[in-house]
Amino acid sequence: MKLQLTLNSLALILCCGDLIPSSTQPISTQEWQEIEKKLKSAHKEPSMITGMSIDTLTQIIGLDEFTAHKIEKRQKLLPDLFYALQNLENQDIGVTTIYEEDYPASLRVLGAKMPLVISYIGDLSLSYGVNISVAGPQMMNKTMRHVTKEVMKKISKEGYTLVVGGSKGVEELALRTQLTNNGNAVLFVADHMFDKIRLYSKYIKQNKLVIMTANDPYALFDVTHALDKNLYICGMVFAQIVTGTHIGSGPVWFTSIQNIHSHWTRQLVYETLDYSGNIRLIEMGEADEDLKSEVTLAEILDNHETVIKKDDPSIDQMTIFEFIEETHE
């Protein structure tokens, strides 16, 4: 993997990326968006920020001193950035940013919430297709295993690219089923990327799988990153199928509720009374009984009409204390 990044991308990764182990905190997405506005007003490119002094950043660009000092500190990490990028290149890890042409266009629908930097291994163009995701519990019973396999029959038969986050249970079963059936897949992870690379190296080499992350490929588990990853998956797909979730049980429930309010993607919920979250989502108009029939997903989505209830879910149904669990679902 030969990394080819524009100067704007290098400036972005230097300031906002987490590829460099450092006590100097990266600039947040929100901060970078404000910096971009200031640079645009001054008719400057993002790449020019790496050579600016604090005086230039404050007096000419118009940044506040706190942000200017953060940029100055990040500038000193440029040699470390080149080392980090070289290390990733040696391991066939690619890097793209919002300034690159190969950045997945589907993620741009998230606007201010899209990830600024993505690391990946495999054929990135796999993520450009017609994507669909499957989400569900990490602990599966016999019924949920059957439901997942039935849903995957539709996806494989109709030739969609599967996008999942790599959790155990439903997502892992869906991914393995898709790859075994010679389908294309995107694995968007928030942590332990190299573990996944070793696990699925066969399919990466066959150009059937691309593994992506918006975090340092060496990152360990982080709740915020995990939730952000679910948002990115919603942005990448034209529809998400929820096989099973319980109210307040984990990220699947939380993401489903957030998706209803934010309209990131269309959502189809398998109709079952075994999961309290499914029951609640059914009440909110998210279920589709056609998932159990021979009707194609394209036909289901054409007929699918989300009914938005007037009563919003109560705050106790999605409190952070209910989904920050190490075991999640």
Side-chain angles (χ1 to χ4, degrees), residues 27 106 119 140-141 147 186 207 230 233 294 309-310 318:
I27 291 169
S106 56
S119 300
M140 290 191 300
N141 53 27
V147 168
V186 176
N207 290 327
N230 289 343
I233 290 174
E294 295 299 318
K309 299 293 184 179
K310 292 183 179 179
M318 54 187 209

Side-chain angles (χ1 to χ4, degrees), residues 53 61 69 72 82 89 123 144 152 186 208 211 223 261 269 273 308 320:
S53 66
I61 305 301
H69 278 285
E72 183 193 40
F82 288 141
E89 181 178 275
D123 185 357
M144 185 51 55
M152 287 309 303
V186 176
K208 305 303 294 183
I211 301 180
V223 172
H261 290 296
V269 178
L273 300 180
I308 300 177
I320 194 167

Side-chain angles (χ1 to χ4, degrees), residues 45-72:
E45 290 288 321
S47 60
M48 300 178 71
I49 204 171
T50 58
M52 292 180 180
S53 66
I54 291 180
D55 287 341
T56 302
L57 291 169
T58 55
Q59 297 174 21
I60 296 182
I61 305 301
L63 301 182
D64 61 85
E65 288 195 13
F66 177 75
T67 302
H69 278 285
K70 286 184 69 174
I71 292 174
E72 183 193 40

Side-chain angles (χ1 to χ4, degrees), residues 126-127 130-135 151-152 155-156 159-165 170-179 183-188 208-210 233 237 241:
L126 291 175
S127 66
V130 183
N131 305 327
I132 193 165
S133 66
V134 175
V151 167
M152 287 309 303
I155 292 175
S156 297
Y160 296 114
T161 297
L162 176 72
V163 183
V164 292
V170 166
E171 290 189 9
E172 185 177 48
L173 176 59
L175 177 60
R176 289 194 174 278
T177 303
Q178 176 77 345
L179 294 173
N184 295 335
V186 176
L187 178 55
F188 206 125
K208 305 303 294 183
L209 173 69
V210 57
I233 290 174
V237 301
I241 298 174

Side-chain angles (χ1 to χ4, degrees), residues 33-47:
Q33 289 165 355
E34 289 302 314
I35 291 170
E36 275 190 320
K37 291 178 183 177
K38 299 285 187 180
L39 288 169
K40 186 175 182 180
S41 297
H43 306 289
K44 305 293 185 183
E45 290 288 321
S47 60

